[in-house]
């Protein structure tokens, strides 16, 4: 599946709307999950990835990650 994980104050619905506006509704429809840090009270570098893995029932070895910020994504 395709999962978006974002450090943001935006909600999941807001992120989905932005993605649909930027990439099109066909691309947005391909997203299985969107995890904004605002909904979990923790950012990526402080534990959001752990919660994401639990939510999608996966281990780190089962996930391919593409990041855009070295500090936040490690």
């Amino acid at each position: 599946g395709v999962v978006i994980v974002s450090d943001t104050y935006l909600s999941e619905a807001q992120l989905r709307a932005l993605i649909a506006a930027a990439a099109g509704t066909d691309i947005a429809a391909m997203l299985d999950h969107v995890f904004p840090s605002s909904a979990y009270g923790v950012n990526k570098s402080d534990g959001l990835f752990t919660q994401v893995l639990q939510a999608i029932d996966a281990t780190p070895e089962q996930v391919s990650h593409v990041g855009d910020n070295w500090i936040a994504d490690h």
Side-chain angles (χ1 to χ4, degrees), residues 11-46:
S11 69
E12 177 180 348
Q14 290 170 311
L15 281 175
R16 285 183 179 275
L18 286 173
I19 292 165
T25 56
D26 289 343
I27 298 296
M30 296 172 66
L31 303 177
D32 296 306
H33 302 280
V34 176
F35 294 93
S37 60
S38 62
Y40 293 87
V42 63
N43 60 32
K44 293 185 288 188
S45 62
D46 290 331

Side-chain angles (χ1 to χ4, degrees):
V2 179
V3 176
I4 301 290
V5 182
S6 179
D7 283 339
T8 184
Y9 59 88
L10 299 174
S11 69
E12 177 180 348
Q14 290 170 311
L15 281 175
R16 285 183 179 275
L18 286 173
I19 292 165
T25 56
D26 289 343
I27 298 296
M30 296 172 66
L31 303 177
D32 296 306
H33 302 280
V34 176
F35 294 93
S37 60
S38 62
Y40 293 87
V42 63
N43 60 32
K44 293 185 288 188
S45 62
D46 290 331
L48 182 55
F49 284 128
T50 300
Q51 292 187 40
V52 168
L53 291 172
Q54 290 173 347
I56 64 171
D57 193 28
T59 65
E61 298 79 19
Q62 296 171 306
V63 174
S64 293
H65 174 260
V66 177
D68 65 350
N69 182 300
W70 180 261
I71 294 169
D73 294 326
H74 283 87

